[in-house]
Amino acid sequence: MPPPALTDPAWVDILPPEAPAQAAGAPLLWSLTVFLLLAGLASILWYRHQKQAQTRLRHVLRELRSGSQDSKTVCAEIMQYLRDKRVARHLKHWSHDPAWQQYLSRLEACRYSAETIPKHQVQDLVQEALTWLNRKRPPA
């Protein structure tokens, strides 16, 4: 008696899988992956610069409270950090906001004032700068 064949069509109807066709979406998938990685890196860098500016403003506030810097120097440092190009890109969305314009004019008045500005007023300006930095982008 001959041994039974393993490929007897009566008992086995399993077909071998077909060879995969060339993936047409592979370049699209790779470019999407690279785009997402670059977008993630850009957002991390933006977040880091925002946090650095906030940390520096908090440091300036501590220096003001300790008395190691005068109010005009503090106002000049605030303007310097708000004009940093990475921070300014975030703040440009409020360039037409009247509240932002009033804040900048108060900051300039403090910076170029002939008399010494009280500490509490400069502290309010630093806190307001932190508030502007923490604001979300307005809806378009």
Side-chain angles (χ1 to χ4, degrees):
M1 177 166 161
L6 293 178
T7 58
D8 186 11
W11 294 99
V12 179
D13 64 350
I14 298 175
L15 299 176
E18 293 182 20
Q22 289 293 340
L28 178 65
L29 183 63
W30 278 108
S31 37
L32 180 64
T33 303
V34 168
F35 173 75
L36 290 176
L37 287 174
L38 289 176
L41 178 66
S43 65
I44 287 171
L45 290 175
W46 176 82
Y47 179 76
R48 192 178 112 217
H49 291 299
Q50 288 297 107
K51 288 301 173 186
Q52 283 177 347
Q54 291 172 358
T55 302
R56 183 63 190 144
L57 286 175
R58 287 187 186 102
H59 179 71
V60 167
L61 184 60
R62 282 193 299 271
E63 288 177 351
L64 177 70
R65 288 179 181 159
S66 70
S68 63
Q69 286 191 354
D70 65 336
S71 59
K72 292 179 185 179
T73 306
V74 169
C75 290
E77 285 192 37
I78 294 170
M79 287 298 291
Q80 177 186 356
Y81 290 111
L82 293 180
R83 288 185 176 153
D84 179 58
K85 70 178 181 178
R86 291 175 295 258
V87 176
R89 264 189 258 147
H90 173 67
L91 295 174
K92 74 177 179 181
H93 304 291
W94 293 283
S95 62
H96 299 293
D97 189 352
W100 174 247
Q101 296 300 325
Q102 288 175 353
Y103 172 71
L104 289 178
S105 64
R106 284 185 290 142
L107 193 57
E108 289 289 329
C110 171
R111 182 177 179 187
Y112 297 114
S113 175
E115 66 271 353
T116 304
I117 305 297
K119 273 188 181 181
H120 66 85
Q121 187 176 358
V122 179
Q123 288 175 358
D124 291 343
L125 288 172
V126 174
Q127 291 295 338
E128 193 170 348
L130 288 169
T131 303
W132 283 105
L133 283 174
N134 288 329
R135 280 191 174 185
K136 300 287 184 202
R137 184 177 174 177

